[in-house]
């Protein structure tokens, strides 16, 4: 009779699995709570102590750490010396191991004290899994409840699992134990204040057709599938698969969206920079303003909002203001939800990707950027200064409407590639200057763009970093800017303050830089 050792934390389907093994001629050996569940389910399980001749001790900390367990798992059955030792010590082979581990991750995620976390570090489980996986030539090791039916079917058909299956199951085990040890190591290192090592583990979300260019292979992995405003756990409602560049753009859009909470907001985005953004009384109002701010650049871009899209909004987004015969060409639309009517309207354009993302409080997780041979790791730029009139460094203080535009402008400019300048008016972007080698160059792009849309005065300018000289401000004031918000911190700040005072316009220093390289 073949022997299976079964000891699981997640007991889903384990009774049915063990009944199937019994029908196929396996004797079931089990431990503690698993054995109790199996007996209640009608499985004739025998206790692990009947095999080891030694009781469970230390509140269950030691129960399977025994030569009669690991000898039965690790013996190389076609090696004469191993066979002789097994017979000498009255060890019986264990042909199948079914183990899943203490729920360490769930324990620490729900919130627990250090002592509880320590007690949820599994010792015997990983040891059995690793022993069985090492000897996969002879032993079947099952660590995933989703593999129960496949294992039973193979044993029923072939009398045993195939070698190819045992190899795959062993690989899954070492993946599981590596992830498990990584979680524990990360937790313990955090408690100990150690930082000289970095552990990253991710689950594949999808293989991509290619990366930034067709000759580059690419995959998308999730590092934290609980994260809000994330594509890692978003639902694709319709459309083609997301590309590498779609994912980059969509992630940038979600970073902007989360700045605005539940205030109706819409943004159009191209090449990871916003090309039109607005707050409004409702989604249609916000979208209309965002689209009008740059109807050219949005072509082939993506749109993101923090509002559920209904049929009326869907029709507005499809056809700009609803009065055009030709739809606006978009690659991706992101929203926290779509009504069934909206889905039906968008279904007429089956290639358009609709992405439903999860909203809520977001974790302060790290940001990773690859460089040749390494990684840069930093906190995400989640902080924002609360802009008030008292922060003005000029004689003239900003009005309430100007303060609103300053806040809006800074929330947008922090997501524009540096050097970054944004000009806004009435909660809408008028022009975006991104990625120039000098700040006055970015200001010229933003302001010229605003002028091309017919906005020539009453604008508020937001800058991601200080003005190194007064030239940026001089150009802005000569071209319709009437209020400025910037971090401050230049050696020549006073020059800019003097220019603003001479023009009798308000300028606020936030004291917080928002470079985005």
């Amino acid at each position: 009779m073949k022997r299976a050792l079964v000891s699981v934390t997640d007991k889903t389907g384990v009774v049915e699995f063990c009944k199937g093994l019994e029908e196929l001629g396996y004797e079931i050996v089990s431990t503690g709570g698993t054995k109790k569940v199996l007996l209640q389910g009608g499985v004739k399980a025998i206790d692990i102590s009947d095999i080891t001749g030694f009781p469970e001790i230390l509140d269950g900390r030691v129960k399977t750490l025994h030569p009669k367990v690991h000898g039965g798992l690790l013996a190389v059955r076609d090696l004469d010396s191993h066979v002789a030792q097994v017979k000498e010590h009255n060890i019986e082979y264990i042909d199948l191991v079914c183990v899943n581990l203490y729920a360490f991750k769930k324990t620490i995620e729900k919130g627990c004290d250090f002592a509880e976390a320590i007690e949820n570090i599994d010792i015997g489980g990983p040891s059995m899994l690793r022993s069985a996986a090492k000897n996969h030539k002879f032993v079947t090791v099952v660590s995933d409840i989703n593999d129960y039916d496949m294992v039973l079917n193979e044993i029923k058909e072939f009398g045993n699992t195939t070698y190819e299956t045992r190899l795959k199951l062993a690989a899954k085990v070492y993946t599981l134990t590596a992830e498990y040890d990584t979680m524990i190591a990360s937790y313990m290192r955090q408690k100990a204040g150690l930082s000289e090592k970095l552990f990253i583990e991710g689950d594949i979300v999808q293989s991509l057709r290619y990366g930034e260019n067709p000759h580059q292979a690419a995959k998308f992995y999730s590092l934290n599938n609980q994260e809000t405003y994330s594509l890692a756990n978003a639902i694709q409602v319709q459309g083609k698969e997301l590309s590498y560049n779609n994912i980059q753009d969509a992630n940038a859009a979600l970073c902007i969206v989360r700045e605005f909470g539940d205030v109706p907001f819409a943004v159009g985005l191209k090449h990871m920079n916003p090309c039109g953004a607005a707050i409004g009384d409702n989604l249609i109002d916000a979208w209309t303003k965002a689209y009008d701010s740059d109807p050219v650049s949005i072509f082939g871009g993506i749109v993101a909002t923090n509002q559920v899209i209904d049929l009326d909004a869907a029709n507005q987004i499809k056809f700009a203001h609803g009065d055009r015969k030709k739809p606006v060409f978009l690659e991706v639309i992101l929203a926290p939800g779509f009504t069934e009517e909206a889905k039906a309207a968008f279904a007429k354009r089956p290639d358009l990707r609709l992405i439903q993302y999860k909203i809520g409080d977001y974790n302060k997780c790290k940001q990773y950027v690859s460089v040749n041979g390494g990684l840069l790791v930093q906190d995400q730029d989640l902080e924002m200064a609360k802009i008030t009139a008292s922060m003005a460094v000029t004689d003239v203080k900003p009005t309430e409407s100007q303060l609103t535009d300053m806040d809006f402008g800074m929330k947008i400019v922090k997501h524009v590639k540096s050097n970054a300048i944004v000009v806004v008016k009435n909660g809408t972007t008028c022009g975006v200057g991104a990625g120039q080698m000098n700040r006055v160059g970015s200001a010229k792009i933003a302001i010229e763009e605003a002028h091309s849309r017919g906005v020539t005065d009453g604008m508020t300018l937001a800058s991601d970093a200080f003005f190194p000289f007064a030239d940026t401000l001089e150009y802005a004031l000569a071209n319709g800017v009437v209020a400025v918000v910037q971090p401050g911190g230049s050696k020549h700040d006073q020059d800019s303050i003097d220019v603003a005072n001479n023009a009798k316009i308000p300028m606020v220093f936030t004291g917080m830089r928002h470079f985005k390289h």
Side-chain angles (χ1 to χ4, degrees), residues 2-63:
K2 290 187 175 181
R3 175 173 282 176
L5 198 165
V6 182
S7 180
V8 293
T9 298
D10 182 353
K11 297 176 175 59
T12 305
V14 71
V15 171
E16 293 76 12
F17 181 56
C18 289
K19 283 183 176 180
L21 289 173
E22 280 188 325
E23 291 172 3
L24 294 167
Y26 281 74
E27 177 184 56
I28 308 299
V29 180
S30 192
T31 64
T34 303
K35 179 193 166 193
K36 182 177 179 181
V37 168
L38 293 178
L39 292 174
Q40 290 172 346
V43 177
K44 297 176 182 177
I46 62 174
D47 196 274
I48 189 69
S49 357
D50 295 334
I51 304 301
T52 63
F54 204 92
E56 293 185 18
I57 61 172
L58 308 179
D59 298 319
R61 282 189 170 199
V62 178
K63 48 192 172 188

Side-chain angles (χ1 to χ4, degrees), residues 277-279 286 289-290 292-293 405 408 423-431:
I279 52 176
K289 291 175 180 177
D292 282 345
S293 70
D405 272 350
F408 174 76
V423 287
V424 306
K425 185 176 181 179
N426 299 329
T428 304
T429 54
C430 305

